[in-house]
Amino acid sequence: MNQHTNRFPISHVIGFLMSLVLTLGAAWVALKTSLPAKTIMTFIGTLAFVQAAIQLFMFMHLREGEDRRTNVINIIYAFFLAIVIVAGSIWVLTSGHSHG
């Protein structure tokens, strides 16, 4: 039996707690500060990037595995999909107002 399956997933708990702190920090900055909107958006975007990196390492086991090239290809593909989804959503939501 593999000893790895019997261990407590402490990295998952740490990753969850770190993600929770980052999310609550972003909510606090957005709701409780009087910073300019551009500063708030930059701060939230930075926290989102950090949280994505934490999730890649803690939950997706990016450090594990023998084939590093496959991991890099998968990350590039995921970034491509994220950009397409976000840009497509913004395009659809903003172009609908011009036809109404």
Side-chain angles (χ1 to χ4, degrees):
M1 183 177 271
N2 190 358
Q3 290 179 347
H4 183 69
T5 59
N6 293 333
R7 295 187 321 155
F8 183 76
I10 191 69
S11 66
H12 291 141
V13 173
I14 293 171
F16 173 72
L17 292 175
M18 290 172 69
S19 295
L20 191 62
V21 166
L22 290 171
T23 301
L24 293 174
W28 181 81
V29 166
L31 299 173
K32 299 292 184 182
T33 63
S34 59
L35 295 171
K38 192 171 188 175
T39 304
I40 291 173
M41 294 303 289
T42 303
F43 189 76
I44 290 174
T46 303
L47 290 181
F49 183 78
V50 170
Q51 186 171 357
I54 287 172
Q55 290 179 3
L56 278 173
F57 286 106
M58 297 292 199
F59 298 124
M60 305 299 276
H61 305 286
L62 187 62
R63 296 171 289 185
E64 299 173 5
E66 296 83 27
D67 191 8
R68 302 277 184 201
R69 183 175 180 209
T70 302
N71 286 342
V72 170
I73 291 170
N74 287 339
I75 290 172
I76 291 170
Y77 181 64
F79 277 121
F80 170 74
L81 285 179
I83 290 169
V84 168
I85 290 169
V86 170
S89 297
I90 292 171
W91 176 57
V92 167
L93 291 172
T94 58
S95 67
H97 295 290
S98 63
H99 298 294

